[in-house]
Amino acid sequence: MRTLIILAVTCLTGFISHAQNVTGDWKGTVNFQGQSIDFAFHITQPQDSLHTTMDIPSQGLTGGKAANTAYTNDTLKVDFPQFKMRYIGVTKNDSIQGNLIQNNFPVPLTLAKGALVLNRPQQPKAPFNYDVQEVTFKNKEENITLAGTLTLPKDIKNPPIAVIISGSGPQNRDGDMFGHSLYYVLADYLSSNGIGVLRYDERGVGASTGTFETAGIAQFTSDATAAIAYLKKYKKTKYSQVGLIGHSIGGIIAPQIAATNADVAFTVMLAGPGIPGNELMLSQKEAMERLMNVPEAQIKQGQDLLGYAYDVIIQNDGTNAAIKDAVNLALKEKLGPMVPLQQVEAITDQITTPEIVSLLKATPASYLSAIKSPVIALNGKKDFQVPYEQNIAAIKEAFAAGNNENARTVAFDDLNHLFQESTTGALSEYSEIEQTMAPKVLAFITKWIKEHTND
């Protein structure tokens, strides 16, 4: 579950000249209030217009699309309206010297030619000791095609296969976030050790069709169910035991499917919630603000405001548009005329996306107790996004209610939401840590799956 929600927008055509001087990879660092933030711009010219994407590893942003890119008279202008951000710079030799402007506040940013390279020692590298297949499968209910990568161990007949279900926000099959390829690293380890893996681009992401922005948990559940159906019929995997590995919000989706789908042989929850979604969102916000040393009075104020808004959402069974209107009206009344309408609308937009609304209404205990197949919930003790104590307690209670002898919970010391070995668990550490996923967790998942399937 990512705290930064990235909205994809269509690139528009910009007037260009001398594009050959500005296309390519560019990198630079912004120094703001004692903090250094790395930026990477990728400028291409697929046809007659320039297109730009932006990466900010420390913020979890990969491939943020510009709405407009223009290069005239040695001046580059790139607009990212979804982030209220613009870059204006002048090319000089092998650099672009300019300012990053956000909310009308300029900060110097000089870009140098070259790619931003992060040290990621666990990033998989060919040649692989397993077979790699690019696949597509249909979600007939939604009339969309999902694209992914299927990795199968060599010389193992009918190996167990795990479908990876990603966390919140638009995720590609590799789980690229904060400069890490979390799901790629996990799939590589599993398939190198005798377990097949299907990972796929979420709808509207990468090579998958459909629209992410209009989807919630029900739609993502439908996509994952289609992945299971595909594997059960695919000639190389139709006799294999198929299970699910769900990370974060995927840790809601995976057990929900397992509770009702007899084809699910096993389930691994990675940082999956156990408490209701509205409680989760409030606890996440509180934990994050404590890590940032936000004053207690301000924390309480935020809890009261968002708790009030979440109640409005939960009690409204209307369309997403109706929910948005109800929240906007409620916040205006709650905050009064002293808070600008633009700020109220920004809060409303952030918490009323279909994905967030479906998360707020989620009640994990209702299906965790219904799972009869093997299931394990893994949490990190330094995870602030899904705080482990209250969530793992709720998961244990639900498992106990279901009398599933093959249900288990495990909490790992010093691991954050991405299952990295961390110092504080703070969001700022995600990109700074070179490790993508703790080896002990990779080994644990592999061993557990093998113990609960027929090799």
Side-chain angles (χ1 to χ4, degrees):
M1 188 172 305
R2 300 161 68 184
T3 55
L4 175 63
I5 300 174
I6 304 167
L7 302 178
V9 296
T10 303
C11 291
L12 303 178
T13 302
F15 178 77
I16 60 171
S17 65
H18 308 297
Q20 69 274 13
N21 295 327
V22 77
T23 57
D25 293 328
W26 299 87
K27 59 184 178 180
T29 302
V30 164
N31 295 300
F32 180 68
Q33 294 182 344
Q35 184 180 9
S36 296
I37 304 174
D38 291 328
F39 283 75
F41 288 179
H42 313 283
I43 305 175
T44 59
Q45 187 184 0
Q47 294 179 350
D48 295 329
S49 62
L50 288 172
H51 290 204
T52 302
T53 62
M54 175 176 64
D55 301 339
I56 314 175
S58 64
Q59 299 295 313
L61 176 62
T62 301
K65 294 181 181 179
N68 185 68
T69 301
Y71 183 56
T72 56
N73 299 323
D74 298 326
T75 298
L76 174 69
K77 297 180 180 179
V78 188
D79 293 307
F80 300 92
Q82 70 272 41
F83 309 122
K84 297 181 174 59
M85 185 182 294
R86 190 182 202 199
Y87 180 75
I88 302 176
V90 177
T91 54
K92 292 186 179 180
N93 299 321
D94 289 330
S95 69
I96 305 175
Q97 299 177 19
N99 290 296
L100 188 71
I101 305 166
Q102 188 171 36
N103 295 321
N104 297 318
F105 184 81
V107 179
L109 174 59
T110 296
L111 299 174
K113 196 77 172 179
L116 181 62
V117 179
L118 302 173
N119 186 27
R120 300 293 184 251
Q122 290 175 293
Q123 188 72 8
K125 297 179 179 64
F128 304 115
N129 65 346
Y130 51 82
D131 293 326
V132 180
Q133 302 173 31
E134 302 305 307
V135 300
T136 59
F137 56 94
K138 292 280 292 185
N139 180 339
K140 295 179 181 179
E141 290 183 359
E142 300 279 334
N143 193 30
I144 63 175
T145 299
L146 297 157
T149 301
L150 176 62
T151 51
L152 294 172
K154 293 180 179 179
D155 304 322
I156 298 179
K157 187 177 181 180
N158 303 328
I161 300 176
V163 178
I164 295 179
I165 306 175
S166 61
S168 63
Q171 297 275 352
N172 65 19
R173 69 191 71 183
D174 292 339
D176 289 334
M177 61 186 99
F178 302 99
H180 293 276
S181 299
L182 180 63
Y183 307 141
Y184 189 10
V185 168
L186 175 58
D188 174 73
Y189 189 94
L190 291 174
S191 293
S192 295
N193 289 277
I195 299 170
V197 177
L198 173 60
R199 64 189 198 276
Y200 57 91
D201 299 330
E202 290 191 299
R203 58 171 64 199
V205 178
S208 292
T209 65
T211 304
F212 179 88
E213 289 76 19
T214 58
I217 288 177
Q219 289 71 38
F220 301 136
T221 298
S222 179
D223 293 343
T225 301
I228 298 170
Y230 167 77
L231 291 173
K232 297 301 290 186
K233 292 181 179 179
Y234 184 55
K235 61 182 179 179
K236 291 187 178 181
T237 61
K238 63 187 298 184
Y239 300 112
S240 299
Q241 291 177 287
V242 177
L244 304 171
I245 299 177
H247 176 234
S248 195
I249 200 172
I252 291 178
I253 296 167
Q256 185 170 319
I257 297 172
T260 57
N261 191 324
D263 288 330
V264 177
F266 61 89
T267 303
V268 179
M269 296 169 59
L270 297 177
I275 60 177
N278 60 325
E279 295 179 20
L280 173 70
M281 293 288 283
L282 289 172
S283 66
Q284 177 189 114
K285 185 176 188 297
E286 180 179 1
M288 179 178 67
E289 289 176 343
R290 290 193 192 284
L291 281 171
M292 297 170 62
N293 296 315
V294 173
E296 288 297 320
Q298 189 173 333
I299 292 175
K300 184 180 184 305
Q301 184 180 38
Q303 294 287 297
D304 292 342
L305 177 64
L306 286 181
Y308 174 73
Y310 294 165
D311 286 342
V312 172
I313 292 172
I314 292 170
Q315 294 165 13
N316 194 316
D317 293 325
T319 65
N320 191 256
I323 291 173
K324 187 173 182 178
D325 288 343
V327 170
N328 199 43
L329 178 61
L331 288 177
K332 286 178 182 177
E333 293 176 350
K334 179 82 169 177
L335 294 171
M338 298 302 293
V339 178
L341 292 179
Q342 185 177 4
Q343 187 175 342
V344 174
E345 290 170 356
I347 296 172
T348 300
D349 289 344
Q350 187 176 15
I351 65 175
T352 57
T353 66
E355 183 183 41
I356 295 299
V357 168
S358 64
L359 173 58
L360 290 168
K361 294 186 175 185
T363 54
S366 61
Y367 46 81
L368 288 171
S369 59
I371 301 173
K372 301 306 179 187
S373 55
V375 56
I376 190 163
L378 308 181
N379 293 75
K381 291 187 178 181
K382 291 195 174 174
D383 182 352
F384 79 87
Q385 292 184 252
V386 181
Y388 92 95
E389 286 185 331
Q390 60 194 130
N391 281 283
I392 219 163
I395 293 169
K396 283 182 178 180
E397 184 177 348
F399 284 166
N403 295 314
N404 184 348
E405 295 182 356
N406 287 314
R408 182 184 172 193
T409 62
V410 178
F412 290 90
D413 292 331
D414 301 323
L415 299 190
N416 62 19
H417 188 64
L418 303 186
F419 290 87
Q420 300 167 306
E421 294 169 332
S422 61
T423 302
T424 67
L427 186 73
S428 59
E429 290 184 331
Y430 291 0
S431 64
E432 296 171 355
I433 298 171
E434 295 183 355
Q435 180 187 83
T436 297
M437 194 173 194
K440 63 183 178 183
V441 176
L442 293 168
F444 186 96
I445 295 169
T446 302
K447 181 181 178 182
W448 185 87
I449 292 175
K450 288 185 172 184
E451 288 175 347
H452 290 85
T453 55
N454 297 322
D455 293 342

